[in-house]
Amino acid sequence: MSRIALAFDLGGTELRAALVGDGGNLLAFASTPTRAKDGPDVVIEQIAMLAERTCSDVPDAKPLGIGIGAPGPLDPVAGILTAPPTLSGWREVPLAGRLQDRLNLPVRLENDANAAALGEWRFGAGRGAASLVFVTVSTGIGGGVISDGRIVHGRRGLAGEIGHMTITSESERCLCGAVGCFEAVASGTALGRRATALTKPGDGSALRTLSHDGDVTGRHVVEAARSGDETALGLIDREARWLGIGFTNLLHLYSPDMIVMGGGISHGYDLLRKPIEATIQERAMPAYRDVPVVPAQLGRHAGLVGAASLIFLN
Amino acid sequence: MSRIALAFDLGGTELRAALVGDGGNLLAFASTPTRAKDGPDVVIEQIAMLAERTCSDVPDAKPLGIGIGAPGPLDPVAGILTAPPTLSGWREVPLAGRLQDRLNLPVRLENDANAAALGEWRFGAGRGAASLVFVTVSTGIGGGVISDGRIVHGRRGLAGEIGHMTITSESERCLCGAVGCFEAVASGTALGRRATALTKPGDGSALRTLSHDGDVTGRHVVEAARSGDETALGLIDREARWLGIGFTNLLHLYSPDMIVMGGGISHGYDLLRKPIEATIQERAMPAYRDVPVVPAQLGRHAGLVGAASLIFLN
C-alpha cells in the first residue's frame, strides 16, 4: 500500500480533511463548518472527529502523519498559530503540539497559501519546477513562493504577501490602508468594482443581466467576456494588464521557473492569458520573458494535498 | 592560524583581490583595471597574477579555496558566466572550472550583488539574521536576498532584480524600457535628475554650487542636505519616500529580519532614515513594521568578503 497522510485545511468558515496518498490522490474526504469562535479546544475536537471519520473510510490506512494548512501568520517550525485574523480570539495556539498529543501522530503545520503552493508544486501545475510562485486571484490576492526547492518562509513565515506589493500610484485604497497594492487593482474584487462602476442597474448590459442588476462580480465579468460582450472583454484586458505588471515583478524578484495562477479569477485564464503574456513581454527584462504563466490544476484541494506533502517530504 | 580564502571581485572596470580570514578580515588586498575586452584568457591570467601578489604578502597563507563575485547573469552551481553586460563579448564562460584548473584550488562563483549580500550577512550589518535583503542604491538599484539562511537564486540565478520591480505608474522611462521601476524613481541617478530639473546653472543654489553648475548628482544632494539646504532636504524627503515604498514591498515579499542599505546613496542614511521609516509605518502591514532598515557596514569590500564566505561555508 502506498504511503498515506492525513491532511487538514483549517479555514475560518470550513474545516476540511482528507486521507491523501503519496501520489497526491484523495482517498477519503470530509468537511464541517469550523467552530472557530468556540476556541481551539473545540476545533481540535472537530479535527479529531474528522480524522476518525476519514480513517474509517479506508480501514487499512495507517497515516504516517498529519499535515495542516491554516491561516497565517503562523510559525511553521514551532507549529504555533500566531494570531490568524480569520480565527478570532486565537493567539499563540500551539496547534501542532496539541494535535500531536491528541492523535499520537507527527504533525506539520504550514500557512494555507504556502500549503496550496506546495500542492501545486508537488502534485499539480508546478511539478518538476525548482522555483515557482503560486498566486491566487480571487476576493484578494495571495500566494506562496517555492525557491530553489524550498518554501520561502522569511521572518515569522510572513514572506510572499504578494497582494500587498505596491505596483501603481493610483488605485482605490486597499483594505490594508495603502494605495496601489496589487490586490487593490487586480483582485476579483477590483475587477467586479470596475465592472459595477461601468454599468448601471437596469441598463440591460450583459454584466447587469448576469448580476440580476446587483453589483457585478469578477466571475460575472469572466462569464460575459466568454460570451463575447465587448465591455467585459475590455475589463478583462485591463485586468490582465494589471496581472501582467504584478507577475512581472514576481519574475524579477523571485525568478521562478513558472507562475501558477489559481483562485476564482483563474477560471478566466484562457481569456486573460494573451494580454498577461503581452504585458510580460513588454515589461520584463529579456531573461525573464520566456517564463510561463500556467493555470493551477488542483482547485480547492491544492491546500489539502500540499499539507499532505509536508508529511511525505519528511 | 585561522582559515583563509582567496576572494575576487570581478567588475567590468576593476578586478579586486583579497586574502580574507574567516572573521571577514582582509589580510592582503590588490587590484588592477579589468582587461575585459581582451577576453576571458587575459582576465584569467590577471586573476592568477593577483592571486600570486596577494599570497606573497602573507607567506604562510594556505587558502582553502577561491570565491569570486562576478556580474550576472551567471550560473552559480555550474560556475558559468552567462552573458554579463559589463563584460562584453563574454558568453557562457566556465570561469570556475578554468580557474580551478589554473590555480588548483576549489572555486565558488556568485553574482556580485549576492556576494555583497553574503558579505553583509556573514560579517557586516546582517550578522545573525536568518533572512535579509541587501539593497544597493547608487547609479541603479540592485540587491541580493538571503532567505531562511540561504541565498535566493531562482531560475538561472536571476532572483532579486529589485531595481526593476514596478512601484508606480509615473516615472521617467527606465533603462530597461518599462515605466515605474523602483530604480527609475529611487536610484541615485533619479535623485540627481530631480535635483538637476529643480535648479539651473548659475542660479547660485547650494546644489549647483556643489556641482560647479553641471548636472547635480545624488551625492551632491546628500551633501547639500547635510548642510541644511532646504531644496536638498525636500529632495531627500521625496527620495526617502520612494525608498520606503520599495522597501515596504521587499518586506511583504521576502519578510526579511532586516533590510541592509548600501551603495553611494546610503552615505545619506542618517538623513533618509526617518522618512523611510515613516513611509514603512504608513504602508507596511502591522506585522512587518518593526523590521529595521540598517546601513551596510562593509562598503566596497562587501563583495570580496562575501565571496570569501562562499569558501568558509563549505
Side-chain angles (χ1 to χ4, degrees), chain A residues 24-81:
Chain A
N25 48 317
L26 263 60
L27 304 169
F29 176 85
S31 70
T32 189
T34 310
R35 290 175 58 188
K37 284 179 191 158
D38 296 331
D41 290 351
V42 169
V43 172
I44 284 166
E45 281 315 306
Q46 288 190 293
I47 291 174
M49 182 201 66
L50 289 187
E52 204 173 314
R53 202 192 303 168
T54 49
C55 286
S56 68
D57 283 355
V58 187
D60 307 347
K62 298 255 179 299
L64 300 172
I66 298 172
I68 308 187
L74 58 76
D75 181 333
V77 177
I80 294 174
L81 291 185

Side-chain angles (χ1 to χ4, degrees), chain A residues 96-292:
Chain A
R98 295 201 49 193
L99 276 177
Q100 200 151 321
D101 292 347
R102 178 73 179 72
L103 296 170
N104 211 18
L105 279 171
V107 176
R108 291 283 307 276
L109 182 66
E110 188 51 85
N111 89 49
D112 41 19
N114 286 346
L118 272 177
E120 290 290 343
W121 179 41
R122 286 302 182 191
F123 301 113
R127 272 182 304 242
S131 302
L132 69 80
V133 182
F134 172 70
V135 186
T136 44
V137 186
S138 52
T139 312
I141 292 182
V145 181
I146 311 288
S147 182
D148 311 319
R150 290 195 323 185
I151 297 177
V152 175
H153 279 122
R155 173 175 168 273
R156 297 195 202 160
L158 288 169
E161 193 57 79
I162 288 167
H164 299 286
M165 119 183 118
T166 297
I167 65 166
T168 175
S169 27
E170 50 187 68
S171 82
E172 303 274 319
R173 192 165 291 278
C174 183
L175 287 178
C176 79
V179 165
C181 290
F182 187 27
E183 172 170 308
V185 292
S187 65
T189 307
L191 174 58
R193 197 170 45 221
R194 282 194 294 270
T196 301
L198 265 184
T199 54
K200 280 188 188 137
D203 65 5
S205 63
L207 290 166
R208 289 290 179 163
T209 306
L210 284 166
S211 74
H212 301 290
D213 283 333
D215 283 354
V216 184
T217 66
R219 293 280 200 134
H220 294 142
V221 180
V222 168
E223 202 176 332
R226 202 178 297 295
S227 67
D229 179 64
E230 284 297 328
T231 309
L233 285 166
L235 285 161
I236 286 287
D237 189 71
R238 186 159 170 212
E239 169 71 12
R241 299 198 68 82
W242 283 125
L243 289 173
I245 291 174
F247 290 176
T248 300
N249 276 10
L250 300 177
L251 297 178
H252 287 158
L253 290 162
Y254 297 117
S255 192
D257 295 301
M258 62 173 69
I259 290 175
V260 179
M261 180 180 163
I265 298 302
S266 70
H267 293 288
Y269 171 81
D270 56 318
L271 300 163
L272 294 160
R273 187 175 64 84
K274 274 197 183 173
I276 288 175
E277 285 176 358
T279 306
I280 291 174
Q281 292 305 312
E282 197 181 297
R283 303 186 65 95
M285 298 175 78
Y288 304 85
R289 284 181 198 159
D290 57 337
V291 177

